[in-house]
């Protein structure tokens, strides 16, 4: 059910909505940028050559000692499995049992006894609803790494951004063709992916040409829709971005080539997660590198990875089965980055439901609907039976799920569509996996 703040925002005039977006942006700015951010960014800028394994072992032991002191779940786990700290070799990390999503979702002992005021929520690529907590230091350190990554490609904090977001920043049925809102503190124009349609894309292009951003980021599928329109109509842009930074979805080689061609800007991919996985970013040589200061990635069965993240002191992740798949490489890169090279990232999908009006509602927006619930839904899957009919299957937690939660969930899904879409919810005991072992969150059965 929409909160009072959501209702006030939705019924406010456009200038007030921009003011409210900027007010929230100011809150985020204060959380993301501060002394910990400055300290981490300075360290990254003056990196010295060191023994990478020794440095990583030192980081790991510091993190494990923290968990032993401040986290009941890991303190008990280390005792049960006779884990003696400090570890002598990185390989000894494998002595620690794997952390499963179910434990992260349901065990209250997983939260450390430190101040961790920043809450992260995710529906995840597997559709499992999770909430995690971050300390301010963790949050700012992650932002420093992300900004350092962009800085290496010419984009610095304070430049103008165009961000393609699946958040509901404007009402679905608004009549005025202004499908964007401005976050003044971050010089960020937010473009609603929810309103993308062949009839509305010209409005987006006009806005982009007026705003003239220095970089584009966010949903690559939305940026690709813009690029396709520009190419098909031979429409020209009046600006040339420094770079494009896609997030959240897997970017196909075809999509990358189209973005580069139309926007005349290089594309640099990145991998992160709402749970706080270690950061992986792309260098100028086109290779994806783990940021070792943020954690460790281990290869698992069938390419599924285990992550240990050093920026998750509020909700520690040690050998966490995140549900994504990667291929790790032993190759070195001419850029000189010391982080492990990731050959491919296979865990994110570019999937959507198409509405009767021709809009696309993307997977990330659909899975985000469960984040309003108190971890009471285990998994979801959206089946599109007809162009005007979808069914959301959900697996409930018998202990946490309340009767009104289905109503709340349906209302959240309905917010993404017009009344022309028929929406049904169905509680199921389990959701069938695909042959590759993963759950497809969106299945368009009518295509």
């Amino acid at each position: 059910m929409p909160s009072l703040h959501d209702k006030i925002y939705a019924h406010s005039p456009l200038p007030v909505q921009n003011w409210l977006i900027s007010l929230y942006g100011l809150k985020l700015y204060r959380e993301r940028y501060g002394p910990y951010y400055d300290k981490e960014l300075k360290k990254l800028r003056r990196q010295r050559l060191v023994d990478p394994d020794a440095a990583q072992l030192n980081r790991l032991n510091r993190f494990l000692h923290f968990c032993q002191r401040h986290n009941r779940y890991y303190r008990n786990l280390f005792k049960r499995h006779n884990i003696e700290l400090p570890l002598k070799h990185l390989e000894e990390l494998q002595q620690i049992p794997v952390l499963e999503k179910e434990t992260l979702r349901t065990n209250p002992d997983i939260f450390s006894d430190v101040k961790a005021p920043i809450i992260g929520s995710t529906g995840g690529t597997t559709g499992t609803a999770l909430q995690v907590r971050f300390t301010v230091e963790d949050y700012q350190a992650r932002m420093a790494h992300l900004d350092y990554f962009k800085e290496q490609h010419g984009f610095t904090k304070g430049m103008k951004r165009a961000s393609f977001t699946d958040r509901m920043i404007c009402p679905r049925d608004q009549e005025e063709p202004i499908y964007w809102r401005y976050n003044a503190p971050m010089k960020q124009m937010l473009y609603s992916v929810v309103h993308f349609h062949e009839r509305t894309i010209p409005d987006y292009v006009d806005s982009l040409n007026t705003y003239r951003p220095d970089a584009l980021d966010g949903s690559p599928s939305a940026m690709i829709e813009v690029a396709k329109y520009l190419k098909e109509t031979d429409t020209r842009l009046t600006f040339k971005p420094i770079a494009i930074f896609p997030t959240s979805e897997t970017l196909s080689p075809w999509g990358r080539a189209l973005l580069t061609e139309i926007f005349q800007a290089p594309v640099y991919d990145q991998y992160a997660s709402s749970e706080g996985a270690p950061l992986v970013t792309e260098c100028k040589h086109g290779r994806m590198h783990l940021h070792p200061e943020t954690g460790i990635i281990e290869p698992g069965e069938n390419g599924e990875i285990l992550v240990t993240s050093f920026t998750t002191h509020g909700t520690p992740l040690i050998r966490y089965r995140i549900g994504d798949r990667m291929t790790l490489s032993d190759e070195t890169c001419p850029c000189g980055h010391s982080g492990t090279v990731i050959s491919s990232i296979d865990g994110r999908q570019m999937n959507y439901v198409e509405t009767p009006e021709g809009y696309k509602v993307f997977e990330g927006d659909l899975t985000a609907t469960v984040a309003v619930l108190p971890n009471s839904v285990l998994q979801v899957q959206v089946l599109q039976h007809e162009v005007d009919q979808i069914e959301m299957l959900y697996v409930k937690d018998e202990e946490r799920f309340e009767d009104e939660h289905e109503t709340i969930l349906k209302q959240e899904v309905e917010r993404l569509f017009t009344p022309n879409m028929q929406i049904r919810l169905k509680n199921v005991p389990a959701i069938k996996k695909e042959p590759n072992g993963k759950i497809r969150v969106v299945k368009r059965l009518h295509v």
Side-chain angles (χ1 to χ4, degrees):
M1 184 178 297
S3 67
L4 178 61
H5 292 95
D6 291 335
K7 291 178 180 178
I8 293 173
Y9 176 85
H11 291 89
S12 297
L14 181 59
V16 175
Q17 288 186 349
N18 279 322
W19 180 81
L20 290 171
I21 287 283
S22 293
L23 191 63
Y24 182 67
L26 181 61
K27 172 184 177 293
L28 292 179
Y29 189 94
R30 288 172 174 170
E31 288 177 346
R32 294 176 179 180
Y33 305 111
Y36 302 119
Y37 170 90
D38 294 335
K39 178 182 177 181
E40 189 70 16
L41 191 57
K42 288 177 181 177
K43 284 169 57 179
L44 290 169
R45 286 171 175 166
R46 62 170 189 264
Q47 291 182 87
R48 297 189 299 267
L49 292 176
V50 296
D51 181 342
D53 288 343
Q56 195 69 329
L57 180 61
N58 186 43
R59 297 184 193 107
L60 174 60
N61 277 318
R62 285 203 307 270
F63 186 65
L64 296 180
H65 277 298
F66 168 88
C67 294
Q68 189 176 57
R69 291 192 303 271
H70 297 284
N71 190 278
R72 181 181 299 175
Y73 171 80
Y74 282 109
R75 186 161 52 247
N76 294 335
L77 186 73
F78 293 170
K79 286 181 180 178
R80 287 199 307 271
H81 293 271
N82 298 314
I83 306 298
E84 295 186 6
L85 302 179
L87 303 182
K88 303 297 189 299
H89 306 282
L90 286 171
E91 291 74 18
E92 294 177 12
L93 175 61
Q94 298 174 19
Q95 300 172 12
I96 300 176
V98 170
L99 173 64
E100 304 289 353
K101 283 184 180 287
E102 184 67 6
T103 301
L104 181 63
R105 192 183 67 81
T106 61
N107 193 330
D109 288 345
I110 198 67
F111 300 121
S112 302
D113 61 358
V114 295
K115 186 177 180 181
I118 299 169
I119 306 299
S121 300
T122 177
T125 55
T126 60
T128 299
L130 296 170
Q131 291 185 345
V132 294
R133 302 171 186 173
F134 296 97
T135 66
V136 172
E137 183 172 2
D138 286 336
Y139 198 49
Q140 292 188 7
R142 292 180 69 81
M143 286 309 306
H145 277 268
L146 287 172
D147 284 356
Y148 180 72
F149 151 63
K150 294 178 180 180
E151 187 178 286
Q152 300 305 108
H153 300 300
F155 180 84
T156 57
K157 184 166 71 76
M159 289 183 171
K160 291 165 41 173
R161 300 164 53 195
S163 299
F164 293 83
T165 177
D166 55 11
R167 294 182 179 179
M168 190 65 69
I169 58 171
C170 42
R172 161 62 88 183
D173 56 353
Q174 73 168 35
E175 296 182 1
E176 195 172 7
I178 302 177
Y179 310 111
W180 44 89
R181 300 293 185 267
Y182 188 54
N183 174 9
M186 296 185 184
K187 295 187 178 179
Q188 177 188 35
M189 190 69 78
L190 294 158
Y191 289 92
S192 171
V193 171
V194 175
H195 293 79
F196 261 78
H197 186 277
E198 61 183 12
R199 294 191 301 272
T200 65
I201 289 179
D203 298 312
Y204 285 83
V205 172
D206 289 344
S207 173
L208 286 167
N209 278 333
T210 300
Y211 183 57
R212 298 172 62 85
D214 296 302
L216 280 64
D217 60 49
S219 166
S221 50
M223 291 187 274
I224 287 170
E225 291 291 319
V226 173
K228 286 166 60 179
Y229 168 83
L230 293 169
K231 187 168 186 176
E232 291 168 0
T233 61
D234 199 27
T235 303
R236 302 296 180 185
L237 293 172
T238 62
F239 69 99
K240 183 178 177 181
I242 294 170
I244 298 173
F245 302 107
T247 61
S248 303
E249 300 167 349
T250 299
L251 180 62
S252 67
W254 172 83
R256 176 189 289 267
L258 180 65
L259 292 176
T260 301
E261 173 193 353
I262 300 303
F263 287 99
Q264 291 293 293
V267 176
Y268 298 108
D269 206 355
Q270 58 187 287
Y271 169 86
S273 74
S274 298
E275 295 107 302
L279 301 178
V280 177
T281 61
E282 185 175 352
C283 73
K284 290 186 177 180
H285 294 272
R287 290 176 175 85
M288 299 290 288
H289 295 270
L290 167 70
H291 287 224
E293 300 88 353
T294 66
I296 295 171
I297 294 178
E298 300 174 69
E301 296 180 1
N302 302 316
E304 191 172 46
I305 58 170
L306 304 176
V307 302
T308 298
S309 177
F310 303 150
T311 58
T312 56
H313 291 82
T315 309
L317 303 182
I318 301 175
R319 308 196 75 222
Y320 172 52
R321 197 189 309 275
I322 196 168
D324 285 342
R325 287 172 166 79
M326 293 184 185
T327 302
L328 279 61
S329 172
D330 293 329
E331 70 174 309
T332 57
C333 180
C335 77
H337 197 293
S338 63
T340 301
V341 174
I342 311 296
S343 298
S344 65
I345 299 174
D346 311 309
R348 293 169 290 170
Q349 300 178 17
M350 189 161 58
N351 214 345
Y352 57 86
V353 165
E354 188 162 6
T355 73
E357 301 83 10
Y359 293 105
K360 293 176 181 176
V361 179
F362 293 96
E363 177 180 299
D365 212 18
L366 290 162
T367 60
T369 57
V370 302
V372 300
L373 300 177
N375 290 348
S376 60
V377 170
L378 304 178
Q379 288 179 317
V380 297
Q381 183 180 58
V382 177
L383 308 178
Q384 185 167 22
H385 297 287
E386 300 292 342
V387 71
D388 62 346
Q389 295 179 21
I390 64 169
E391 182 179 37
M392 174 175 275
L393 309 180
Y394 70 92
V395 181
K396 67 181 181 181
D397 183 316
E398 296 293 343
E399 295 182 0
R400 295 166 181 253
F401 195 86
E402 305 289 343
D403 291 340
E404 64 267 22
H405 288 180
E406 179 170 301
T407 301
I408 295 171
L409 182 57
K410 187 175 182 182
Q411 289 174 338
E412 285 299 306
V413 178
E414 287 174 341
R415 289 178 62 222
L416 304 178
F417 299 92
T418 66
N420 294 327
M421 181 66 79
Q422 299 177 44
I423 299 169
R424 299 193 303 273
L425 265 65
K426 182 180 180 181
N427 173 231
V428 295
I431 294 174
K432 185 178 179 181
K433 293 184 178 181
E434 299 298 312
N436 64 3
K438 294 202 75 173
I439 290 174
R440 280 182 58 190
V441 177
V442 176
K443 298 182 73 171
R444 299 170 65 201
L445 304 177
H446 73 291
V447 178

